Amino acid sequence: MDRPALADFLRRSRERLNTADVGLPDGARRRTPGLRREEVAGLAGMSVDYYTRLEQQRGPRPSPQLLAALARALRLGDDERDHLFHLSGQQPPQHHHVADHVRPGLLLILDRLWDTPAQIISDLGDVLVQNPMSRALWGDANGRPPEQRNLIRRWFTDTAARAVMPAEDHERLGRSHVAHLRAVAAARPEDRRAERLVAELLARSPEFAAYWAEHDVGLRRSDVKRIVHPVVGLLELSCEVLVTDGGEQRLLVYTAEPGSVTAERLELLRVVGLQDLGTRDSVTR
């Protein structure tokens, strides 16, 4: 714990804010710039005495929970928050922001997968980008409204999302969706997008609510998918999941065993492409 640097950082962070920045009413004319110590302490839910001692280099090491509250009170950005943790001798929390911007390197890999279906999704199940084979297999996600590009939401609220999967696989796939969302939501307790998605599905889908109550947890990794395609028939594909460093995005690649009937049908799908698919838009993974 670097007490002098921590005290200096807290003081400077406090002094650059005003009451309007934090939603407090304007008070009497201030002799010094910024918020008062008692205002920061109140915003962070801590005692004024404890906060004062931190600025005076006398306080004990703050807990991670208290540091997170201070970071919110002082309106710190991610880098500033991490700096606060480091000065206090604590490990910063992991960054778990849902990233809609796909990294160029990941797109480069996707572009190279011209003969196999592949798509990039967020860890919450939002389809971010597909290659042509993925659109031929699952339909074009971009043709739907943004809220309908989420695979988990569609599975539990749109029967068309299940139509291309054999009925006997539905329970396993539904449980997998819920277990995955449970793990992601727990890892990102401050993520309002995850919170809203869970609340919506609990309200709209009794099936989701029943699975959620069982508290199964498990991130989706490699799996075997059976798809009843309307043009080429039944496909049995291995789904490999490549996860980015932060875990926020996943590259899903669907492959067939060489020489199999599925491989032949997948090649036919590549030739046919999107020509005979019309407006079909069932995305299930």
Side-chain angles (χ1 to χ4, degrees):
M1 181 175 176
D2 188 340
R3 295 178 187 275
L6 175 62
D8 182 70
F9 184 63
L10 288 173
R11 178 178 59 81
R12 292 181 184 276
S13 298
R14 172 173 62 84
E15 290 177 349
R16 73 182 178 210
L17 293 173
N18 57 51
T19 53
D21 294 327
V22 296
L24 295 175
D26 291 331
R29 186 181 181 89
R30 297 169 185 249
R31 297 179 181 177
T32 57
L35 298 178
R36 298 187 177 101
R37 288 172 176 171
E38 58 266 26
E39 290 170 333
V40 173
L43 290 168
M46 59 190 297
S47 72
V48 178
D49 177 68
Y50 184 64
Y51 179 79
T52 300
R53 283 188 288 155
L54 287 176
E55 281 203 10
Q56 293 176 345
Q57 306 179 33
R58 299 186 294 111
R61 175 183 295 176
S63 68
Q65 293 77 15
L66 190 54
L67 290 171
L70 276 172
R72 290 192 294 269
L74 294 169
R75 304 303 192 260
L76 302 183
D78 290 345
D79 293 338
E80 294 169 320
R81 181 201 60 185
D82 290 355
H83 184 62
L84 177 66
F85 272 75
H86 287 139
L87 293 178
S88 304
Q90 300 279 14
Q91 185 67 26
Q94 294 182 350
H95 294 275
H96 284 296
H97 302 298
V98 177
D100 293 332
H101 176 70
V102 180
R103 290 176 3 193
L106 207 54
L107 287 172
L108 186 62
I109 296 174
L110 187 70
D111 290 340
R112 297 295 187 270
L113 299 172
W114 59 271
D115 63 344
T116 189
Q119 58 188 7
I120 299 170
I121 67 173
S122 75
D123 57 356
L124 285 178
D126 297 310
V127 179
L128 303 177
V129 63
Q130 299 171 280
N131 69 358
M133 282 291 288
S134 173
R135 292 193 294 271
L137 178 64
W138 301 113
D140 188 358
N142 286 331
R144 296 189 296 272
E147 66 275 7
Q148 288 301 313
R149 297 172 194 169
N150 183 277
L151 306 180
I152 302 175
R153 176 185 286 113
R154 292 198 71 232
W155 180 264
F156 288 101
T157 63
D158 185 353
T159 56
R162 306 183 182 213
V164 297
M165 312 294 281
E168 56 268 28
D169 294 348
H170 287 185
E171 180 178 351
R172 178 181 65 85
L173 294 171
R175 289 181 179 277
S176 174
H177 279 309
V178 175
H180 175 87
L181 183 56
R182 169 76 77 170
V184 173
R188 300 210 312 262
E190 296 182 1
D191 189 330
R192 294 295 174 261
R193 292 175 65 176
E195 181 180 314
R196 288 194 296 267
L197 179 58
V198 171
E200 175 192 347
L201 292 176
L202 286 173
R204 296 182 63 183
S205 171
E207 179 189 13
F208 177 90
Y211 294 157
W212 186 264
E214 296 180 9
H215 211 127
D216 290 335
V217 179
L219 293 173
R220 290 179 297 191
R221 295 184 172 86
S222 300
D223 196 2
V224 175
K225 297 286 184 181
R226 295 196 302 158
I227 302 105
V228 183
H229 193 276
V231 175
V232 300
L234 179 65
L235 300 168
E236 186 168 307
L237 299 170
S238 296
C239 176
E240 295 296 330
V241 182
L242 286 72
V243 183
T244 58
D245 289 343
E248 298 164 353
Q249 294 178 354
R250 287 161 164 74
L251 172 61
L252 277 54
V253 182
Y254 300 89
T255 60
E257 182 179 350
S260 65
V261 173
T262 293
E264 295 177 359
R265 292 175 176 174
L266 200 60
E267 175 61 19
L268 176 60
L269 181 63
R270 187 183 70 81
V271 174
V272 173
L274 297 174
Q275 297 175 10
D276 299 326
L277 300 183
T279 59
R280 190 181 66 87
D281 65 353
S282 295
V283 177
T284 58
R285 166 85 186 175

